[in-house]
Amino acid sequence: TAELIGGNATGYVKANLSAATADNYKDGDGTEINSQYQRWSGDIDLGWTPSLNHSFKLSLGASDGEAAYADRAMDGAKFERTSTALTYDYEGAGTLQSLTANSYFNYIDHVMDNYSLRNFTPSMMMPNKTARNPDRYSRGARIESTWQLHSQHTTELGIEYHDNKHRDRISRNQEMSPYQSLPRKADAESSQFGLFAEHSMSLTADQRLITGVRFDHWQLTDRRESLGNMMNSQPNPTLNQTHSDDLFSGFIRYEQQTDLGTWYAGLGQAERFPDYWEAIGNNKTYQNSPSALYLQPEQNQQLDLGWQYQNDALQLETSVFFGNIDDFILLEQSSGMMPDSVRNIDATTWGGELTSRWNVTTAWKLSASFAFTRGSNDTDNRYLPQQSADELRLASDYTHNDLTYSLLWRVVKQQDKVDIGRGNVIGYDFAETPGYGVLSANMNWQLDKSWKLAIGVDNLLDKTYAEHISSSGATIAGYEQVDRVNEPGRVFWLQSNLYF
């Protein structure tokens, strides 16, 4: 990776370049995991600063890569991205404190196949070499401003718009009918228009109140001509139909500083429109319809409470939350050749986090954190799937001259609160996950003001373990997660940062 910046009072050029490659890794048992990848990216910003208050920026970006997957029958053979954005920034000192206007467009061209990064093996689902090539074009704009109408009041106002067009093509026999020769077919178009405002006011020197509201108008148009697969295809009953909805969100948060620290309380509601993979992707069924276009938006009402304390030697932070979700979007795996289904349920979530940091001496620091979440499917009286396991982190940092020695012990509890075969677009619960503990160590050496060197080892004890939450690729045929993937075993690493 490299970041290069040059400029003067009139303007600047900033470039970010990266390239990475990796072979398959081995887990703690020495089993090789199909995980090779390579990627590159290049982004450049061209800035013009005609005055101290005004600036313009043109951003150009491109990237690509490929990745082998251990847990599914297809790999990512192409991740091509191009992007362009134009931004105007104003920074003032009067009533209008700041103004940012941004417009952009992005194009993503993606290929999944079962032959580029692995030896092709015929299966019942995919007897021939298969490739799928979705692409997406998106564009949008956003304007955001900050106003100081009163010395104790700050208001932020904004407006944004974006639309997306999604197309797809698939070859189930790449050698006889390459996907490159097939026409792309649109399957979905979506747009969103939003207005938002946030207001912060100082009630006293020690008290602050923050409120915010947001309005969104969403539209999703179904362009699929048929549903199902080649063996069980049917006309799409919602072809060219549009599902639109108006969503309202808002929050209020109170903060107070005392001799014993700062505490806060927040209450809010957030509404979320179904995304592409919930309503369109993979032809999910919904209630009594073969199309999930009219899936209802989620509504989450949540209460947050927290407390923060800090002095010269000790820092403590704790927070808890309780959420009630109406029309939670739940995905359910099907059996056999039938498509997965999606439906709305009522759900409850709650959890909390505690973090601490203790400066034992000027050179020695200890820290600890603990986090837990719980969720229930109130409609079916089950656990809510895809919940993280309880996690404890203990760390120690010791600095001597230019050297800092660090240890991190991560302890994760067994996750047995699962609902097999159900989940969300990130993944499904398909098994309980054993608990584990992972110890890592590193050393940082500040050679001089410009050069820092670090060396470390992750998973020092070479444990064999797997995370409970892992992506399942939106459960497209061939993409769905079919097995648990173990994390890497003992890994040695060396890193150097040089600043010119």
Side-chain angles (χ1 to χ4, degrees):
T1 64
E3 181 182 64
L4 309 173
I5 305 173
N8 53 33
T10 303
Y12 63 91
V13 176
K14 177 180 178 181
N16 285 282
L17 308 172
S18 70
T21 183
D23 294 328
N24 296 336
Y25 68 78
K26 294 181 179 180
D27 66 12
D29 290 330
T31 302
E32 186 171 294
I33 305 298
N34 187 45
S35 57
Q36 59 179 299
Y37 69 85
Q38 59 179 344
R39 65 174 184 264
W40 65 266
S41 67
D43 296 275
I44 185 168
D45 293 340
L46 305 175
W48 177 40
T49 53
S51 71
L52 292 175
N53 304 106
H54 304 272
S55 66
F56 298 85
K57 180 176 67 175
L58 174 64
S59 301
L60 306 171
S63 65
D64 201 355
E66 61 182 29
Y69 295 138
D71 62 345
R72 61 208 69 185
M74 300 181 78
D75 302 305
K78 181 180 181 181
F79 295 90
E80 186 176 293
R81 170 191 66 92
T82 55
S83 63
T84 301
L86 183 62
T87 304
Y88 165 73
D89 278 308
Y90 167 78
E91 295 290 339
T95 301
L96 179 58
Q97 294 280 300
S98 67
L99 174 68
T100 299
N102 171 263
S103 63
Y104 63 88
F105 85 83
N106 303 308
Y107 178 70
I108 298 174
D109 192 8
H110 179 38
V111 174
M112 296 287 289
D113 67 38
N114 62 354
Y115 57 86
S116 294
L117 302 179
R118 66 178 68 195
N119 294 323
F120 170 67
T121 303
S123 66
M124 182 179 298
M125 292 290 293
M126 290 182 288
N128 303 305
K129 291 184 177 181
T130 301
R132 190 163 193 169
N133 180 209
D135 72 343
R136 187 182 72 176
Y137 172 82
S138 60
R139 60 182 179 181
R142 178 185 176 100
I143 301 176
E144 189 171 1
S145 60
T146 303
W147 302 78
Q148 191 80 46
L149 303 176
H150 185 275
S151 60
Q152 304 299 319
H153 296 251
T154 302
T155 302
E156 295 183 18
L157 301 174
I159 182 173
E160 65 179 353
Y161 171 82
H162 75 82
D163 64 52
N164 291 271
K165 295 183 179 179
H166 194 280
R167 301 182 300 177
D168 201 1
R169 59 184 176 183
I170 182 170
S171 171
R172 293 181 172 85
N173 192 333
Q174 178 66 12
E175 292 182 342
M176 297 295 294
S177 179
Y179 76 86
Q180 296 93 334
S181 65
L182 301 177
R184 298 183 188 267
K185 294 184 178 181
D187 58 1
E189 297 176 5
S190 65
S191 65
Q192 175 254 339
F193 171 77
L195 298 169
F196 55 92
E198 182 175 313
H199 185 74
S200 175
M201 66 183 78
S202 298
L203 304 176
T204 67
D206 300 323
Q207 296 177 321
R208 188 165 72 132
L209 187 68
I210 308 171
T211 60
V213 294
R214 182 179 179 98
F215 164 79
D216 288 286
H217 177 74
W218 276 90
Q219 287 193 160
L220 176 62
T221 302
D222 190 351
R223 299 299 188 193
R224 298 170 296 174
E225 296 178 356
S226 61
L227 302 177
N229 51 45
M230 294 180 62
M231 300 177 62
N232 184 23
S233 181
Q234 60 179 307
N236 180 13
T238 58
L239 172 63
N240 294 327
Q241 294 184 21
T242 298
H243 178 196
S244 62
D245 216 326
D246 294 328
L247 306 183
F248 298 90
S249 303
F251 75 94
I252 183 170
R253 174 185 168 107
Y254 174 79
E255 300 177 357
Q256 181 171 0
Q257 295 182 355
T258 68
D259 294 337
L260 296 177
T262 300
W263 69 272
Y264 64 86
L267 181 64
Q269 171 178 294
E271 295 189 317
R272 185 179 72 84
F273 194 77
D275 73 5
Y276 169 86
W277 290 112
E278 292 164 332
I280 300 292
N282 206 26
N283 298 330
K284 297 177 183 65
T285 62
Y286 171 60
Q287 296 179 344
N288 296 322
S289 172
S291 171
L293 176 65
Y294 293 103
L295 186 67
Q296 295 302 304
E298 284 184 355
Q299 298 178 5
N300 181 25
Q301 298 90 33
Q302 183 166 306
L303 172 67
D304 294 275
L305 301 172
W307 174 69
Q308 301 171 349
Y309 174 80
Q310 183 174 358
N311 59 26
D312 293 338
L314 185 64
Q315 178 180 336
L316 294 172
E317 293 186 25
T318 183
S319 62
V320 294
F321 74 90
F322 179 86
N324 178 71
I325 307 176
D326 297 325
D327 292 323
F328 178 92
I329 298 175
L330 181 73
L331 273 61
E332 298 179 312
Q333 281 183 312
S334 65
S335 57
M337 300 292 291
M338 298 300 294
D340 292 351
S341 62
V342 59
R343 62 188 175 100
N344 296 110
I345 63 168
D346 293 331
T348 303
T349 60
W350 65 98
E353 184 174 6
L354 173 65
T355 63
S356 63
R357 187 174 182 87
W358 178 28
N359 298 332
V360 183
T361 66
T362 55
W364 185 26
K365 298 177 177 62
L366 297 175
S367 62
S369 67
F370 174 73
F372 75 97
T373 59
R374 298 289 185 273
S376 65
N377 174 348
D378 301 330
T379 299
D380 303 324
N381 195 26
R382 296 172 177 264
Y383 290 120
L384 195 66
Q386 290 291 279
Q387 298 295 303
S388 300
D390 300 349
E391 180 171 331
L392 173 68
R393 288 174 176 255
L394 302 173
S396 173
D397 298 301
Y398 182 79
T399 301
H400 178 68
N401 295 330
D402 297 326
L403 293 173
T404 300
Y405 307 91
S406 301
L407 284 173
L408 172 63
W409 187 31
R410 180 174 174 237
V411 182
V412 180
K413 185 182 178 182
Q414 174 189 7
Q415 181 54 289
D416 54 6
K417 300 175 176 61
V418 297
D419 188 8
I420 306 301
R422 294 179 174 86
N424 51 42
V425 296
I426 302 300
Y428 288 108
D429 281 357
F430 60 92
E432 296 183 2
T433 304
Y436 55 87
V438 177
L439 182 66
S440 301
N442 66 76
M443 180 181 70
N444 286 272
W445 184 13
Q446 189 72 52
L447 285 83
D448 56 38
K449 292 187 298 182
S450 302
W451 190 12
K452 179 187 291 186
L453 190 67
I455 187 172
V457 54
D458 296 337
N459 195 359
L460 178 64
L461 303 180
D462 207 21
K463 290 283 188 178
T464 301
Y465 71 101
E467 304 286 355
H468 178 70
I469 303 296
S470 60
S471 174
S472 67
T475 66
I476 302 173
Y479 296 55
E480 64 266 52
Q481 186 174 1
V482 295
D483 195 10
R484 190 185 308 282
V485 178
N486 288 335
E487 297 298 313
R490 185 182 296 114
V491 174
F492 295 94
W493 55 266
L494 175 69
Q495 181 181 15
S496 176
N497 289 299
L498 184 61
Y499 302 92
F500 298 94

